[in-house]
PDB file of all heavy atoms in Angstrom:
ATOM      1  N   ASP A1076      98.530  78.850 111.124  1.00 85.00           N
ATOM      2  CA  ASP A1076      97.805  79.838 111.940  1.00 85.00           C
ATOM      3  C   ASP A1076      96.886  79.109 112.907  1.00 85.00           C
ATOM      4  O   ASP A1076      96.719  79.561 114.035  1.00 85.00           O
ATOM      5  CB  ASP A1076      96.959  80.708 111.001  1.00 85.00           C
ATOM      6  CG  ASP A1076      97.865  81.624 110.152  1.00 85.00           C
ATOM      7  OD1 ASP A1076      99.010  81.802 110.478  1.00 85.00           O
ATOM      8  OD2 ASP A1076      97.300  82.203 109.180  1.00 85.00           O
ATOM      9  N   TYR A1077      96.265  78.062 112.477  1.00 85.00           N
ATOM     10  CA  TYR A1077      95.361  77.326 113.362  1.00 85.00           C
ATOM     11  C   TYR A1077      96.071  76.801 114.575  1.00 85.00           C
ATOM     12  O   TYR A1077      95.625  76.932 115.736  1.00 85.00           O
ATOM     13  CB  TYR A1077      94.712  76.150 112.617  1.00 85.00           C
ATOM     14  CG  TYR A1077      94.053  75.169 113.568  1.00 85.00           C
ATOM     15  CD1 TYR A1077      92.881  75.413 114.283  1.00 85.00           C
ATOM     16  CD2 TYR A1077      94.718  73.894 113.764  1.00 85.00           C
ATOM     17  CE1 TYR A1077      92.368  74.477 115.109  1.00 85.00           C
ATOM     18  CE2 TYR A1077      94.217  72.994 114.624  1.00 85.00           C
ATOM     19  CZ  TYR A1077      93.031  73.282 115.317  1.00 85.00           C
ATOM     20  OH  TYR A1077      92.502  72.348 116.226  1.00 85.00           O
ATOM     21  N   TRP A1078      97.218  76.183 114.322  1.00 83.00           N
ATOM     22  CA  TRP A1078      98.010  75.579 115.460  1.00 83.00           C
ATOM     23  C   TRP A1078      98.528  76.691 116.344  1.00 83.00           C
ATOM     24  O   TRP A1078      98.561  76.492 117.616  1.00 83.00           O
ATOM     25  CB  TRP A1078      99.106  74.734 114.960  1.00 83.00           C
ATOM     26  CG  TRP A1078      98.643  73.417 114.343  1.00 83.00           C
ATOM     27  CD1 TRP A1078      98.782  73.010 113.034  1.00 83.00           C
ATOM     28  CD2 TRP A1078      98.002  72.339 115.014  1.00 83.00           C
ATOM     29  NE1 TRP A1078      98.270  71.771 112.869  1.00 83.00           N
ATOM     30  CE2 TRP A1078      97.770  71.368 114.052  1.00 83.00           C
ATOM     31  CE3 TRP A1078      97.553  72.132 116.304  1.00 83.00           C
ATOM     32  CZ2 TRP A1078      97.144  70.163 114.420  1.00 83.00           C
ATOM     33  CZ3 TRP A1078      96.913  70.966 116.669  1.00 83.00           C
ATOM     34  CH2 TRP A1078      96.675  70.002 115.685  1.00 83.00           C
ATOM     35  N   GLU A1079      98.872  77.832 115.795  1.00 79.00           N
ATOM     36  CA  GLU A1079      99.345  78.910 116.615  1.00 79.00           C
ATOM     37  C   GLU A1079      98.268  79.424 117.532  1.00 79.00           C
ATOM     38  O   GLU A1079      98.526  79.614 118.783  1.00 79.00           O
ATOM     39  CB  GLU A1079      99.847  80.085 115.744  1.00 79.00           C
ATOM     40  CG  GLU A1079     100.356  81.278 116.564  1.00 79.00           C
ATOM     41  CD  GLU A1079     100.866  82.413 115.690  1.00 79.00           C
ATOM     42  OE1 GLU A1079     100.569  82.373 114.487  1.00 79.00           O
ATOM     43  OE2 GLU A1079     101.562  83.269 116.194  1.00 79.00           O
ATOM     44  N   ARG A1080      97.083  79.551 117.114  1.00 76.00           N
ATOM     45  CA  ARG A1080      95.949  80.035 117.963  1.00 76.00           C
ATOM     46  C   ARG A1080      95.587  78.942 118.940  1.00 76.00           C
ATOM     47  O   ARG A1080      95.233  79.244 120.068  1.00 76.00           O
ATOM     48  CB  ARG A1080      94.744  80.397 117.057  1.00 76.00           C
ATOM     49  CG  ARG A1080      94.977  81.578 116.174  1.00 76.00           C
ATOM     50  CD  ARG A1080      93.739  81.973 115.400  1.00 76.00           C
ATOM     51  NE  ARG A1080      93.931  83.059 114.485  1.00 76.00           N
ATOM     52  CZ  ARG A1080      92.952  83.667 113.781  1.00 76.00           C
ATOM     53  NH1 ARG A1080      91.725  83.198 113.886  1.00 76.00           N
ATOM     54  NH2 ARG A1080      93.217  84.645 113.000  1.00 76.00           N
ATOM     55  N   GLU A1081      95.600  77.744 118.543  1.00 69.00           N
ATOM     56  CA  GLU A1081      95.155  76.658 119.438  1.00 69.00           C
ATOM     57  C   GLU A1081      96.188  76.364 120.526  1.00 69.00           C
ATOM     58  O   GLU A1081      95.826  76.202 121.683  1.00 69.00           O
ATOM     59  CB  GLU A1081      94.944  75.386 118.577  1.00 69.00           C
ATOM     60  CG  GLU A1081      94.475  74.158 119.342  1.00 69.00           C
ATOM     61  CD  GLU A1081      93.041  74.225 119.782  1.00 69.00           C
ATOM     62  OE1 GLU A1081      92.316  75.062 119.214  1.00 69.00           O
ATOM     63  OE2 GLU A1081      92.696  73.435 120.658  1.00 69.00           O
ATOM     64  N   LEU A1082      97.447  76.222 120.141  1.00 62.00           N
ATOM     65  CA  LEU A1082      98.487  75.780 121.051  1.00 62.00           C
ATOM     66  C   LEU A1082      99.139  76.885 121.878  1.00 62.00           C
ATOM     67  O   LEU A1082      99.492  76.720 123.030  1.00 62.00           O
ATOM     68  CB  LEU A1082      99.491  74.952 120.349  1.00 62.00           C
ATOM     69  CG  LEU A1082      99.013  73.669 119.636  1.00 62.00           C
ATOM     70  CD1 LEU A1082     100.173  73.003 118.937  1.00 62.00           C
ATOM     71  CD2 LEU A1082      98.414  72.706 120.671  1.00 62.00           C
ATOM     72  N   VAL A1083      99.370  78.049 121.182  1.00 57.00           N
ATOM     73  CA  VAL A1083     100.062  79.135 121.916  1.00 57.00           C
ATOM     74  C   VAL A1083      99.182  80.060 122.623  1.00 57.00           C
ATOM     75  O   VAL A1083      99.370  80.338 123.802  1.00 57.00           O
ATOM     76  CB  VAL A1083     100.878  79.941 120.821  1.00 57.00           C
ATOM     77  CG1 VAL A1083     101.592  81.101 121.480  1.00 57.00           C
ATOM     78  CG2 VAL A1083     101.865  79.026 120.071  1.00 57.00           C
ATOM     79  N   HIS A1084      98.119  80.492 121.929  1.00 54.00           N
ATOM     80  CA  HIS A1084      97.189  81.466 122.564  1.00 54.00           C
ATOM     81  C   HIS A1084      96.032  80.804 123.355  1.00 54.00           C
ATOM     82  O   HIS A1084      95.314  81.521 124.088  1.00 54.00           O
ATOM     83  CB  HIS A1084      96.702  82.414 121.514  1.00 54.00           C
ATOM     84  CG  HIS A1084      97.729  83.143 120.811  1.00 54.00           C
ATOM     85  ND1 HIS A1084      98.628  84.064 121.459  1.00 54.00           N
ATOM     86  CD2 HIS A1084      98.129  83.113 119.496  1.00 54.00           C
ATOM     87  CE1 HIS A1084      99.452  84.549 120.582  1.00 54.00           C
ATOM     88  NE2 HIS A1084      99.234  84.021 119.329  1.00 54.00           N
ATOM     89  N   GLY A1085      95.895  79.487 123.165  1.00 53.00           N
ATOM     90  CA  GLY A1085      94.898  78.811 123.907  1.00 53.00           C
ATOM     91  C   GLY A1085      93.448  79.164 123.474  1.00 53.00           C
ATOM     92  O   GLY A1085      92.508  78.951 124.274  1.00 53.00           O
ATOM     93  N   HIS A1086      93.318  79.686 122.245  1.00 52.00           N
ATOM     94  CA  HIS A1086      91.962  80.010 121.776  1.00 52.00           C
ATOM     95  C   HIS A1086      91.287  78.747 121.269  1.00 52.00           C
ATOM     96  O   HIS A1086      91.887  77.864 120.611  1.00 52.00           O
ATOM     97  CB  HIS A1086      92.051  80.989 120.686  1.00 52.00           C
ATOM     98  CG  HIS A1086      92.549  82.308 121.111  1.00 52.00           C
ATOM     99  ND1 HIS A1086      93.011  83.297 120.240  1.00 52.00           N
ATOM    100  CD2 HIS A1086      92.760  82.825 122.371  1.00 52.00           C
ATOM    101  CE1 HIS A1086      93.440  84.347 120.924  1.00 52.00           C
ATOM    102  NE2 HIS A1086      93.293  84.105 122.193  1.00 52.00           N
ATOM    103  N   ALA A1087      90.028  78.605 121.517  1.00 48.00           N
ATOM    104  CA  ALA A1087      89.243  77.503 120.975  1.00 48.00           C
ATOM    105  C   ALA A1087      88.910  77.899 119.564  1.00 48.00           C
ATOM    106  O   ALA A1087      87.885  78.585 119.315  1.00 48.00           O
ATOM    107  CB  ALA A1087      87.966  77.249 121.833  1.00 48.00           C
ATOM    108  N   VAL A1088      89.674  77.447 118.593  1.00 50.00           N
ATOM    109  CA  VAL A1088      89.543  77.837 117.225  1.00 50.00           C
ATOM    110  C   VAL A1088      88.979  76.701 116.403  1.00 50.00           C
ATOM    111  O   VAL A1088      89.341  75.533 116.584  1.00 50.00           O
ATOM    112  CB  VAL A1088      90.894  78.270 116.627  1.00 50.00           C
ATOM    113  CG1 VAL A1088      90.722  78.753 115.168  1.00 50.00           C
ATOM    114  CG2 VAL A1088      91.479  79.385 117.473  1.00 50.00           C
ATOM    115  N   GLU A1089      88.054  77.017 115.536  1.00 56.00           N
ATOM    116  CA  GLU A1089      87.438  76.010 114.597  1.00 56.00           C
ATOM    117  C   GLU A1089      88.486  75.658 113.564  1.00 56.00           C
ATOM    118  O   GLU A1089      88.943  76.587 112.817  1.00 56.00           O
ATOM    119  CB  GLU A1089      86.150  76.554 114.004  1.00 56.00           C
ATOM    120  CG  GLU A1089      85.551  75.711 112.922  1.00 56.00           C
ATOM    121  CD  GLU A1089      85.162  74.333 113.520  1.00 56.00           C
ATOM    122  OE1 GLU A1089      84.544  74.271 114.611  1.00 56.00           O
ATOM    123  OE2 GLU A1089      85.453  73.346 112.875  1.00 56.00           O
ATOM    124  N   SER A1090      88.854  74.404 113.438  1.00 61.00           N
ATOM    125  CA  SER A1090      89.828  73.986 112.465  1.00 61.00           C
ATOM    126  C   SER A1090      89.193  73.810 111.094  1.00 61.00           C
ATOM    127  O   SER A1090      89.944  73.539 110.077  1.00 61.00           O
ATOM    128  CB  SER A1090      90.507  72.731 112.926  1.00 61.00           C
ATOM    129  OG  SER A1090      89.601  71.593 112.893  1.00 61.00           O
ATOM    130  N   GLY A1091      87.860  73.858 111.058  1.00 84.00           N
ATOM    131  CA  GLY A1091      87.139  73.547 109.766  1.00 84.00           C
ATOM    132  C   GLY A1091      87.655  74.249 108.529  1.00 84.00           C
ATOM    133  O   GLY A1091      87.924  73.566 107.533  1.00 84.00           O
ATOM    134  N   PRO A1092      87.741  75.580 108.501  1.00 91.00           N
ATOM    135  CA  PRO A1092      88.133  76.242 107.266  1.00 91.00           C
ATOM    136  C   PRO A1092      89.471  75.806 106.712  1.00 91.00           C
ATOM    137  O   PRO A1092      89.593  75.503 105.527  1.00 91.00           O
ATOM    138  CB  PRO A1092      88.146  77.714 107.647  1.00 91.00           C
ATOM    139  CG  PRO A1092      87.216  77.842 108.837  1.00 91.00           C
ATOM    140  CD  PRO A1092      87.348  76.539 109.541  1.00 91.00           C
ATOM    141  N   SER A1093      90.536  75.797 107.546  1.00 91.00           N
ATOM    142  CA  SER A1093      91.826  75.380 107.040  1.00 91.00           C
ATOM    143  C   SER A1093      91.865  73.914 106.684  1.00 91.00           C
ATOM    144  O   SER A1093      92.512  73.573 105.600  1.00 91.00           O
ATOM    145  CB  SER A1093      92.936  75.709 108.077  1.00 91.00           C
ATOM    146  OG  SER A1093      92.680  75.002 109.253  1.00 91.00           O
ATOM    147  N   ALA A1094      91.235  73.050 107.464  1.00 93.00           N
ATOM    148  CA  ALA A1094      91.224  71.683 107.162  1.00 93.00           C
ATOM    149  C   ALA A1094      90.405  71.384 105.850  1.00 93.00           C
ATOM    150  O   ALA A1094      90.791  70.580 104.981  1.00 93.00           O
ATOM    151  CB  ALA A1094      90.603  70.902 108.274  1.00 93.00           C
ATOM    152  N   THR A1095      89.299  72.069 105.695  1.00 94.00           N
ATOM    153  CA  THR A1095      88.474  71.960 104.485  1.00 94.00           C
ATOM    154  C   THR A1095      89.237  72.416 103.248  1.00 94.00           C
ATOM    155  O   THR A1095      89.235  71.684 102.206  1.00 94.00           O
ATOM    156  CB  THR A1095      87.179  72.785 104.612  1.00 94.00           C
ATOM    157  OG1 THR A1095      86.476  72.315 105.757  1.00 94.00           O
ATOM    158  CG2 THR A1095      86.323  72.694 103.345  1.00 94.00           C
ATOM    159  N   LEU A1096      89.922  73.540 103.344  1.00 96.00           N
ATOM    160  CA  LEU A1096      90.663  74.015 102.190  1.00 96.00           C
ATOM    161  C   LEU A1096      91.768  73.063 101.787  1.00 96.00           C
ATOM    162  O   LEU A1096      92.026  72.745 100.624  1.00 96.00           O
ATOM    163  CB  LEU A1096      91.274  75.387 102.505  1.00 96.00           C
ATOM    164  CG  LEU A1096      92.127  76.011 101.349  1.00 96.00           C
ATOM    165  CD1 LEU A1096      91.310  76.213 100.108  1.00 96.00           C
ATOM    166  CD2 LEU A1096      92.745  77.320 101.811  1.00 96.00           C
ATOM    167  N   LEU A1097      92.496  72.496 102.790  1.00 96.00           N
ATOM    168  CA  LEU A1097      93.586  71.529 102.502  1.00 96.00           C
ATOM    169  C   LEU A1097      93.003  70.315 101.779  1.00 96.00           C
ATOM    170  O   LEU A1097      93.534  69.888 100.746  1.00 96.00           O
ATOM    171  CB  LEU A1097      94.291  71.175 103.801  1.00 96.00           C
ATOM    172  CG  LEU A1097      95.385  70.131 103.645  1.00 96.00           C
ATOM    173  CD1 LEU A1097      96.524  70.625 102.793  1.00 96.00           C
ATOM    174  CD2 LEU A1097      95.912  69.687 105.007  1.00 96.00           C
ATOM    175  N   CYS A1098      91.976  69.721 102.367  1.00 96.00           N
ATOM    176  CA  CYS A1098      91.487  68.421 101.808  1.00 96.00           C
ATOM    177  C   CYS A1098      90.854  68.612 100.473  1.00 96.00           C
ATOM    178  O   CYS A1098      91.037  67.832  99.554  1.00 96.00           O
ATOM    179  CB  CYS A1098      90.475  67.814 102.806  1.00 96.00           C
ATOM    180  SG  CYS A1098      91.187  67.283 104.338  1.00 96.00           S
ATOM    181  N   LEU A1099      90.071  69.718 100.290  1.00 96.00           N
ATOM    182  CA  LEU A1099      89.482  70.009  98.970  1.00 96.00           C
ATOM    183  C   LEU A1099      90.505  70.294  97.931  1.00 96.00           C
ATOM    184  O   LEU A1099      90.402  69.827  96.753  1.00 96.00           O
ATOM    185  CB  LEU A1099      88.455  71.145  99.102  1.00 96.00           C
ATOM    186  CG  LEU A1099      87.211  70.890  99.883  1.00 96.00           C
ATOM    187  CD1 LEU A1099      86.288  72.112  99.864  1.00 96.00           C
ATOM    188  CD2 LEU A1099      86.454  69.666  99.334  1.00 96.00           C
TER     189      LEU A1099
END
Side-chain angles (χ1 to χ4, degrees):
D1076 291 344
Y1077 162 74
W1078 288 116
E1079 181 179 14
R1080 294 184 180 186
E1081 179 76 16
L1082 298 178
V1083 178
H1084 300 296
H1086 295 164
V1088 182
E1089 174 62 45
S1090 68
S1093 60
T1095 300
L1096 178 60
L1097 176 64
C1098 293
L1099 289 183

